[in-house]
Amino acid sequence: MKRTNKEPAKTDTTKTKKKTKKKTNLKSEKPAVENFEDVQRLVHLLQVHQVELEHQNEELRITQEELEVSRNKYVNLFDFSPVPYFTLNADGIIKEVNLRASKMFEIDRNKLIGKNLISFIHVDEKDVFNSFIKTVFAYPAKHSCELKIINKNKRVFYVLLEGLKFDDTLESINQCQIALIDLTEYKRVEDSLIGINEELKLLNDTKDKFFSIIAHDLRSPFQSLLSYSELLATEIETLSHEELLLYSKGLHNNLNNFYMLLENLLNWSIMQRNMLEYKPENLNLYEIVDKAIVTSNQIAGKKNISLSNKVNTGTLVYADADMLSSVLQNLIINAIKFTQINGNVIVSSIDNDSIVEVSVQDTGIGIEPANSSKLFNFNTIFTTNGTAGEKGTGLGLPLCKEFVERNEGKIWVESELGKGSKFKFTLRKAI
């Protein structure tokens, strides 16, 4: 029992020693206090770094705003550019498109994206487009080509394509930008100028022909007039009454033919300058024909040709009086020219709905089919001598065509060699 009482005392002493040792260890593990100046320096560095970061963040914010402004400017420039723009990949697929291109193609631009641009290229020029796209992606320079495109509503545009590959894009996919410059109006003007140049060339050729005709055909009537006038001036006292009548009639006929030639030349000149005034009115066709026949009777009498007016006396037409008179006069003179001695020339008409068909028929030599198409054309002036050697300028029938068409009619010829000709033209009935 005594042994038992001593053991607890030993235990307490041991515990006391352990506690004392533990306190000593705690005191040895406590960290040393840092230098106050180092702490201040660290805090200062952190504050400076924070200011720098805030400054950098402000610069980044400003840069981001500037980039946003630039992006908006680019988007606005791209969208509202007056020139159609496309962004394409190497297969020609549309990746971006602006509003102007959408308007030209008449398709919403959201529906254009994803389509192949070649589907809008004219079928004859698809190979040209394919070659163009390959060249744009193969060489880092601007390339161009001209071709035709067709929009949704089948409207055709002549365009100049200008393409440039993107070299500074962040995307890995190769892309290029295509600009479409509309040349449609330019082409229209160009074609118009070509047409005008052709017309001018045609007019110059016609003018040269007319000068040649005038130089040749005016000489003959002048020589005849000079001969008659010289004969009358130098030998009038020795001429008999019958000879005076003969020469004066010859002089009158030549002057009449000469006047007809000058009248045709004057009318042609007026038409070339678009100065011919059109004054339509209600006319009695029988009376107009009758006057033309009276004027031509003397010429017909030289060949003993009978002129007949078989137009109904009550036939009324709506036309320009001077133009109609000129047409009838030219057709009757032409019929006399190509009709043999003792022949006949008949002027008649037929009512047909709202028009009157007028016919000038002769019993002359007729016209070869190959020459029929040349009769009414100023560009292929055609003339041959009459049955009595009469000469002409070839102006009469082209003038007739101009006058008839100015009166909203048509003119044509029906002829058979050896059996005569029938010149027909239409007029509107009187209003």
Side-chain angles (χ1 to χ4, degrees), residues 209-302:
K209 288 180 182 180
F210 279 140
F211 284 158
S212 175
I213 289 169
I214 292 169
H216 181 270
D217 289 352
L218 285 183
R219 184 187 305 164
S220 179
F222 263 118
Q223 287 176 342
S224 180
L225 289 172
L226 286 171
S227 296
Y228 278 118
S229 61
E230 183 181 5
L231 189 62
L232 291 172
T234 57
E235 299 183 22
I236 190 169
E237 295 180 354
T238 62
L239 296 175
S240 65
H241 180 71
E242 289 76 12
E243 287 175 326
L244 285 172
L245 286 175
L246 179 64
Y247 293 149
S248 61
K249 285 181 179 179
L251 183 62
H252 176 75
N253 288 337
N254 280 327
L255 284 171
N256 192 53
N257 292 334
F258 188 57
Y259 174 78
M260 192 69 183
L261 171 60
L262 291 178
E263 184 76 11
N264 283 337
L265 288 173
L266 178 62
N267 286 331
W268 172 81
S269 174
I270 292 172
M271 281 195 301
Q272 296 304 305
R273 291 177 291 162
N274 292 320
M275 293 175 62
L276 191 62
E277 191 174 355
Y278 175 54
K279 298 178 180 179
E281 56 182 316
N282 291 333
L283 302 169
N284 186 300
L285 181 60
Y286 178 86
E287 293 176 359
I288 300 291
V289 171
D290 209 44
K291 289 179 182 178
I293 287 176
V294 170
T295 305
S296 308
N297 262 329
Q298 191 169 7
I299 299 172
K302 292 176 65 176

Side-chain angles (χ1 to χ4, degrees), residues 32-60:
V33 178
E34 297 179 357
N35 189 297
F36 183 72
E37 292 180 358
D38 291 339
V39 172
Q40 281 186 319
R41 188 180 298 108
L42 179 61
V43 169
H44 177 71
L45 289 174
L46 288 173
Q47 288 175 341
V48 170
H49 186 61
Q50 183 179 3
V51 171
E52 289 178 349
L53 286 175
E54 289 176 354
H55 182 68
Q56 289 177 0
N57 285 337
E58 180 65 18
E59 288 182 343
L60 286 172

Side-chain angles (χ1 to χ4, degrees), residues 278 280 316-319 354-356 406-409 426-431:
Y278 175 54
L316 299 177
V317 294
Y318 185 71
S354 61
I355 64 171
V356 175
R406 195 68 68 89
N407 283 275
E408 301 182 18
T426 59
L427 297 168
R428 286 183 292 168
K429 282 186 177 180
I431 298 174

Side-chain angles (χ1 to χ4, degrees), residues 285-286 289 293 308-312 315 328 332 345-351 356-361 422-425:
L285 181 60
Y286 178 86
V289 171
I293 287 176
S308 303
N309 182 359
K310 293 190 176 181
V311 175
N312 189 300
T315 302
L328 288 167
I332 292 171
V345 174
I346 301 170
V347 182
S348 60
S349 67
I350 300 173
D351 286 3
V356 175
E357 185 180 293
V358 186
S359 172
V360 179
Q361 184 177 3
K422 185 183 290 186
F423 285 84
K424 295 182 176 182
F425 65 94

Side-chain angles (χ1 to χ4, degrees), residues 305-360:
I305 293 174
S306 170
L307 304 180
S308 303
N309 182 359
K310 293 190 176 181
V311 175
N312 189 300
T313 55
T315 302
L316 299 177
V317 294
Y318 185 71
D320 183 288
D322 292 335
M323 293 183 188
L324 179 55
S325 295
S326 181
V327 170
L328 288 167
Q329 191 74 55
N330 273 291
L331 292 180
I332 292 171
I333 295 296
N334 189 71
I336 294 170
K337 178 181 176 182
F338 294 102
T339 299
Q340 298 94 334
I341 295 173
N342 300 323
N344 297 300
V345 174
I346 301 170
V347 182
S348 60
S349 67
I350 300 173
D351 286 3
N352 187 6
D353 295 330
S354 61
I355 64 171
V356 175
E357 185 180 293
V358 186
S359 172
V360 179

